[in-house]
Amino acid sequence: MALEAVGGAALGAVFGTLLDGVIAVSSKTIMFKTHLRNLKFTMDSFQQVDEDVRQHPNILFRPIPGLERFRIQMKKGVQLVDKCSKVRPWKLNAFKKPIYTSKLVALNASLNTLLSVLTVHIISDTRARVIDVATTLNQIDANIVAQYQNQNQGWCAIPEPPPFTVGLDVHVEELKMELLKDEASMLVVTGLGGCGKTTLAQMICKDQKVKEKFKGNLFFVIVSKKSNCLVVQELCRKTGSLVPSFQEEAIAFNWLQEFLNTIGQDPLLLVLDDVSPGSDSLLDKLDEFKRPNHNILVTSRVQFPRFGPAYLLGTLEPGDAMTLFRHSASRSDRSSYIPDNLAEQIVQHCKGFPLAITTIGRSVCEQPTEIWEKRVTELSKGSSILDSEDYLLACLQSSLDALDERMPIIKECFIDLALFPEHRSIPAVALIDMWAELYGLDKDSWSIANIHELTNRNLANLVTRNGKTEIDGYYSEHFVTQHDMLRNLAIHQIGQDEIGKEKRLIIDICSDNLPKWWTEQKNKPKKTRLLSISTDGLSSEKWHDMHLPKAEVLVLNFQTENYGLPKFVKKMSKLKVLIVTNYGVLQADLSNFKLLGSLANLKRIRLERISIPSIRKNSMQLKSLQKISLFMCSIGQAFSNSSIQILEAFPNLVELNIDYCDDLVELPVKICDLIRLKKLSITNCHKLSSLPEEIGKLEGLEVLRLRSCTDLVKLPGSIKDLTKLHLLDIYKCFSIKELPEDIGEMSGLEKINIGQCSRLQELPVSVLNLGELREVICDDYTENLWGEPFKSNLTKIKISVVKEDFNLNWLHNL
């Protein structure tokens, strides 16, 4: 096992003895049963580490020094467990019981520490064998695909289940038995939102026997409210095929039938997660087309009776509910005292509902007894918190109560998350744009701090691609996710506003079914400050007029290949932020872009997966626009006209962000006319090969970020003229072989990131003239470039060596 690999046979042997003792005593004694069960759970967690070791039989793992103390503690643990087995309730006095209990808790904490050390060590040794430049390049490509697919909720790998689960093992085994049969089946797992349906499906897909049977024919698709065409498109992409543009459902179903015919008799498992009632026609077709050995696993909040009895995922058993509650109400790094009587009352009120248990457990974590008693009293006032989802919302409402007086802006930020579609990861930079204008959060880091506050209160999750927190203001790899029920809580809060004075307005349009109030009161002014409109793949944009004189933020979410800005945008005179996101599979053409020319207060525009229209001379002028962000857009057409005057169009532009734009080969020279530009970020544009020599004209530029532009060969010599530049980021610019000779003339440069610049051979001597340089971020290779004579002369520089962490778990944290 893993312990023997890194700690020797003696450590493995005493661990085995302790495990055998815990199993034996747990089955016999009624004393200390909870603590012994927790101990058994911790020891079972070592099996995952063993699995990691078995998957890498050719790696010789390094021994870990200092494990002797763990061996001694486990040896004492064997004796402790043996003593516990001999204790009789009628002979145990009140003084000795806490002693045994505290020792069991301490033993469990020691094993958790050992588990953490072991996990990090195994991962480190495993990754150390595979990291090189070629792998890094492949990783960047994987990130591109992953980012693209995750935004559409399609992903060729199976999302990882949460690290801690309880009460689902029996369900996994029961469903697995049905899926492993050599016959076609469609299994529908149903239950309330938040009861663990998605986690259950993920656990089944990660089961070894399931993976062995279905091999490469295992697919996981989140359906939600997508049209059938989009669902089939995502499945098509997962197969590695070119994604066609299905104009009609019949064509999509034809492709689906051909795909299943191609699979033939080979085992297939297709997981359709979060299927809504409107997707029953898709299930009909799958049921019609499936062959022997083809299995469909459906998770949904509703039942589909015509496909057979649904598998109802109910609430947790009392023991499992208490285990989940204690886990949620305890810190991972230390034990917490949980009053048994109060814990039992809280769990009883939760009725075994996992999300309610977890949410309440975390809200009272490490709180004084008085807080626990107050919470029990509050819960006792209602008959049940789980009679319906409305009661669950009332329960979750308590998570926001503390924000009303102390942190009102944090509560507003929480509610703002509902402006984005369900089941979508929200780019943190989009929230930064909104909150800067709405709440005066002028520094990007202040918005990120608010997201951390929400995460700390379990009202949202902040995830990053590499699992690390950036410290230089780069937040394009930060995303916010939120559980469905928490989003429902935010929508519930929006509904509490007085009718006619709603601060936020969220409109979801399916096909051309507009809200009744919109068609009846189309000319009545609304006092809305934030407007979100989401449409599906069948909407034709036949919208009525709307009068929004106070709207400051407009969020448009759509899934079609052609999309026009609503004509009423022209009259939104106070609009400051525009966020347009295409959640479809293919890039979309955007029309009516000229309407923005009438918006005198528009300051920030973010476009995602859009083909940017051409910016022609005199087509529009946005004098107040300060920031443009383009993500996965086609931008070549926008600057194709040689007669354009970009300075006239955006005379006060301060920040330009271009990320994952594959058609950007050369940065247009016209960009260098933006003399007020302070931040220029061009990231993950892998075809970008050169920057214009005129870039030196951007004399006010303070941040130049070019990370992961892998084809960029060199930096222009005129970069020396950027004397106000304080941050230069060329992380993962693999093709750059040298820095400009006169880089030392950049008198304001304070920080440079040259990590993973593997072809960089040496530094120019002029680097010695960078008197303001304070920090260099590099890797093991580029660190060597900063030896003599630089090391002895640049004594004020901090050199930070960053280790690569190829972690894609952020994609599945939904």
Side-chain angles (χ1 to χ4, degrees), residues 215-320:
K215 298 182 175 63
N217 292 331
L218 203 165
F219 304 94
F220 193 105
V221 178
I222 299 177
V223 178
S224 189
K225 297 180 180 179
K226 300 186 187 74
S227 67
N228 291 337
C229 289
L230 284 175
V231 174
V232 176
Q233 278 182 326
E234 292 185 6
L235 179 59
C236 176
R237 183 177 60 253
K238 292 173 185 294
T239 67
S241 305
L242 183 65
V243 181
S245 175
F246 298 126
Q247 301 297 328
E248 298 178 4
E249 205 170 70
I251 299 176
F253 286 150
N254 286 338
W255 182 94
L256 180 61
Q257 185 174 21
E258 288 297 321
F259 166 69
L260 296 177
N261 289 340
T262 302
I263 298 293
Q265 301 297 325
D266 292 337
L268 165 74
L269 176 57
L270 172 60
V271 179
L272 299 177
D273 186 45
D274 194 24
V275 177
S276 63
S279 298
D280 49 1
S281 61
L282 175 62
L283 300 185
D284 283 331
K285 289 299 181 180
L286 285 169
D287 190 58
E288 175 187 344
F289 297 152
K290 71 178 186 294
R291 293 183 168 214
N293 251 345
H294 288 190
N295 296 270
I296 315 297
L297 179 61
V298 176
T299 71
S300 178
R301 297 184 187 183
V302 298
Q303 299 185 31
F304 295 96
R306 65 176 178 274
F307 300 111
Y311 188 95
L312 179 61
L313 189 59
T315 56
L316 295 175
E317 295 294 330
D320 290 331

Side-chain angles (χ1 to χ4, degrees), residues 340-407:
D340 289 340
N341 63 324
L342 297 178
E344 290 173 358
Q345 292 183 64
I346 290 180
V347 171
Q348 182 180 4
H349 281 288
C350 291
K351 303 296 184 181
F353 193 71
L355 182 59
I357 293 170
T358 301
T359 303
I360 296 179
R362 290 174 177 173
S363 70
V364 297
C365 180
E366 292 197 343
Q367 297 292 338
T369 303
E370 290 80 2
I371 297 295
W372 288 69
E373 292 175 343
K374 181 175 181 290
R375 185 56 52 88
V376 169
T377 302
E378 291 172 348
L379 293 175
S380 298
K381 292 180 179 179
S383 58
S384 172
I385 61 173
L386 294 176
D387 289 341
S388 69
E389 291 191 46
D390 291 338
Y391 285 129
L392 177 57
L393 287 172
C395 172
L396 294 175
Q397 172 66 41
S398 62
S399 301
L400 295 180
D401 291 342
L403 299 179
D404 280 327
E405 296 181 3
R406 294 179 55 200
M407 310 178 81

Side-chain angles (χ1 to χ4, degrees), residues 440-456:
L441 303 180
D442 297 331
K443 292 185 178 181
D444 293 356
S445 59
W446 294 352
S447 292
I448 298 298
N450 282 4
I451 297 174
H452 280 297
E453 291 286 358
L454 292 174
T455 301
N456 292 339

Side-chain angles (χ1 to χ4, degrees), residues 142-160:
N143 272 349
I144 299 173
V145 175
Q147 165 69 10
Y148 180 84
Q149 293 178 330
N150 185 61
Q151 294 297 317
N152 291 282
Q153 296 303 305
W155 172 238
C156 54
I158 306 301
E160 291 286 343

